[in-house]
């Protein structure tokens, strides 16, 4: 009888121990979200995402973590979006040009000279218009968490570009955005959609004659080694966008969702600080490497693309309505 009691007590102790370990395991269960982007680890956007990941880990007491994959390790921007749609990736960084193919609302950012200046651009992304655009892709499997500053985009080439006529006939790498393609056509260039990772070699080998991007990406991607003229026409301000799949967001608790959204917004503010410093540093670096920065008369370029807005008014009334809303933002 004594032995039976000992056996029962032993079994009870083991069961209690197993239950404790299970409950402890559940209490300290860690959910890891994968985040993909196409820049290197020195880029300001990677540093902003690291800040985002750190805040999420801290505010969830380590229960939710974000693992960042830089340098297109998990695919280029379009491939990353498709992986999110398939449930194979949780978070990705893209930009408004790539996103136009998934949600037409993003095309507003790809229109040349729509924003009066940087302050106007910031007012728009922080307005109801900006929030509408972030939410506009929900029906295709993901939403935008926040915008990351990516400066103004300008043309760069192996020869100086001082006027729109200098673009005539050039093969110009563009992102796969119908609006970007239409802009280059309007400037009499030959738009050539091409993956960002292939651009250095394409410039080097003459597959394309020119490209357009911001100063930081131009320098960190070493494009200044093969193109020595950067024209400050600043035709567009296209934000990067931090995206999360619907599936990944919905599997989080309500509290975790709020933490992720707040941390994303905070990292966006941090990115603005990083960007200004990064752009100044990278321009100085490029100049030391022999790149000439050319100040142009922007009105010449603005006048050259004005017919685009006439076409939009005739053929895309909904987009033109959005254009007018943006223009009215003070």
């Amino acid at each position: 009888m004594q032995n039976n009691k000992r056996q029962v007590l032993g079994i009870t102790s083991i069961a209690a121990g197993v239950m404790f370990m299970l409950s402890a395991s559940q209490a300290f269960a860690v959910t890891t979200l994968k985040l993909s982007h196409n820049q290197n680890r020195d880029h300001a956007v990677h540093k902003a995402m690291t800040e985002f990941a750190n805040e999420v880990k801290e505010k969830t007491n380590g229960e939710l973590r974000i693992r960042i994959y830089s340098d297109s390790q998990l695919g280029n921007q379009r491939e990353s979006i498709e992986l999110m749609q398939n449930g194979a990736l949780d978070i990705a960084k893209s930009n408004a040009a790539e996103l136009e193919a998934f949600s037409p609302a993003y095309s507003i950012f790809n229109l040349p000279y729509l924003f009066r200046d940087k302050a106007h651009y910031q007012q728009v992304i922080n307005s109801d218009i900006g929030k509408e655009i972030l939410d506009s892709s929900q029906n295709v499997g993901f939403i935008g968490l926040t915008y990351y500053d990516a400066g103004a985009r300008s043309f760069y080439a192996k020869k100086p570009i001082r006027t729109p006529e200098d673009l005539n006939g050039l093969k110009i790498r563009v992102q796969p955005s119908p609006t970007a393609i239409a802009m280059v056509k309007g400037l009499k260039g030959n738009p050539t959609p091409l993956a960002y990772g292939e651009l250095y070699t394409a410039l080097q080998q003459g597959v394309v004659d020119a490209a357009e991007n911001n100063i930081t990406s131009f320098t960190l991607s070493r494009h200044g080694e093969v193109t020595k003229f950067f024209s400050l026409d600043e035709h567009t301000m296209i934000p990067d966008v931090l995206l999360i799949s619907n599936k990944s967001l919905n599997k989080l608790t309500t509290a975790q969702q709020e933490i992720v959204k707040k941390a994303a917004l905070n990292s966006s503010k941090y990115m603005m600080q990083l960007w200004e410093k990064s752009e100044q540093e990278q321009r100085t670096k490029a100049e030391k490497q022999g790149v000439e920065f050319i100040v142009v008369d922007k009105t010449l370029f603005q006048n050259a693309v004005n017919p685009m807005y006439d076409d939009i008014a005739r053929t895309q009334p909904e987009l033109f309505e959005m254009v007018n809303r943006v223009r009215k933002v003070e």
Side-chain angles (χ1 to χ4, degrees):
M1 180 66 72
Q2 191 69 24
N3 286 338
N4 288 341
K5 286 182 179 179
R6 286 174 180 168
Q7 287 175 350
V8 170
L9 287 172
I11 292 171
T12 302
S13 297
I14 292 171
V18 170
M19 290 300 294
F20 174 80
M21 286 188 291
L22 284 173
S23 62
S25 173
Q26 290 170 352
F28 294 102
V30 174
T31 299
T32 301
L33 304 179
K34 293 183 291 185
L35 189 165
S36 171
H37 71 89
N38 65 341
Q39 298 291 355
N40 63 46
R41 298 174 70 86
D42 292 327
H43 198 284
V45 78
H46 181 84
K47 296 174 183 177
M49 289 174 183
T50 301
E51 190 80 0
F52 166 60
N54 289 342
E55 182 173 341
V56 168
K57 180 180 177 181
E58 178 188 348
K59 294 292 175 62
T60 62
N61 297 316
E63 292 182 3
L64 182 59
R65 302 185 184 188
I66 296 169
R67 183 175 298 154
I68 304 172
Y69 295 85
S70 62
D71 299 286
S72 300
Q73 293 177 63
L74 302 183
N76 61 36
Q77 291 189 147
R78 185 178 184 89
E79 290 166 343
S80 293
I81 293 172
E82 291 170 349
L83 286 172
M84 277 199 311
Q85 290 179 305
N86 296 332
L89 181 65
D90 305 295
I91 306 173
K93 191 277 291 180
S94 187
N95 63 30
E98 290 274 0
L99 286 164
E100 185 177 344
F102 295 87
S103 178
Y106 280 98
S107 63
I108 200 75
F109 291 112
N110 303 317
L111 293 170
Y113 302 108
L114 176 58
F115 302 108
R116 295 185 294 274
D117 50 32
K118 186 67 173 285
H120 180 218
Y121 160 80
Q122 289 290 347
Q123 289 279 18
V124 171
I125 64 174
N126 291 319
S127 70
D128 290 342
I129 297 172
K131 184 67 169 64
E132 285 173 30
I133 295 171
L134 290 177
D135 291 339
S136 67
S137 59
Q138 189 161 20
N139 63 336
V140 292
F142 58 89
I143 62 166
L145 288 171
T146 195
Y147 298 102
Y148 282 147
D149 194 354
R153 297 176 75 95
S154 297
F155 291 109
Y156 54 91
K158 295 180 180 179
K159 70 167 193 174
I161 297 169
R162 292 187 169 88
T163 68
E165 286 72 27
D166 293 326
L167 295 166
N168 197 346
L170 292 187
K171 292 176 290 184
I172 303 170
R173 182 266 175 176
V174 294
Q175 299 183 89
S177 151
T179 309
I181 291 169
M183 176 190 71
V184 169
K185 284 182 177 179
L187 294 168
K188 310 302 181 188
N190 181 12
T192 307
L194 191 70
Y196 187 66
E198 300 171 16
L199 181 52
Y200 181 96
T201 302
L203 287 165
Q204 186 180 48
Q205 297 178 351
V207 175
V208 294
D209 305 304
E212 52 89 47
N213 212 322
N214 57 62
I215 294 172
T216 298
S217 295
F218 165 77
T219 306
L220 289 178
S221 299
R222 299 170 35 236
H223 293 170
E225 295 176 0
V226 288
T227 51
K228 294 299 183 181
F229 299 95
F230 193 103
S231 300
L232 296 164
D233 64 286
E234 299 184 329
H235 46 265
T236 52
M237 296 181 188
I238 300 178
D240 283 338
V241 187
L242 189 64
L243 311 163
I244 187 167
S245 79
N246 295 344
K247 291 180 182 177
S248 299
L249 187 62
N250 291 337
K251 73 182 180 183
L252 304 180
T253 66
T254 302
Q256 288 174 338
Q257 289 180 15
E258 290 306 310
I259 288 170
V260 166
K261 291 176 180 178
K262 183 67 182 296
L265 290 174
N266 288 341
S267 70
S268 177
K269 295 172 186 174
Y270 181 56
M271 177 67 180
M272 286 177 61
Q273 300 170 22
L274 291 173
W275 185 263
E276 186 174 348
K277 181 181 178 183
S278 172
E279 198 164 56
Q280 291 172 351
E281 290 175 348
Q282 295 306 321
R283 175 169 176 169
T284 300
K285 178 180 175 182
E287 287 173 333
K288 288 179 179 178
Q289 294 173 344
V291 174
E292 180 183 349
F293 286 85
I294 301 168
V295 177
V296 303
D297 182 351
K298 293 182 187 179
T299 59
L300 297 176
F301 291 85
Q302 289 171 332
N303 292 338
V305 298
N306 274 341
M308 280 186 67
Y309 290 96
D310 297 332
D311 289 340
I312 291 169
R314 287 195 306 270
T315 61
Q316 301 180 69
E318 289 184 8
L319 178 58
F320 194 66
E321 181 185 351
M322 180 74 82
V323 167
N324 286 329
R325 285 178 64 194
V326 168
R327 286 172 171 167
K328 291 176 183 176
V329 172
E330 297 294 338

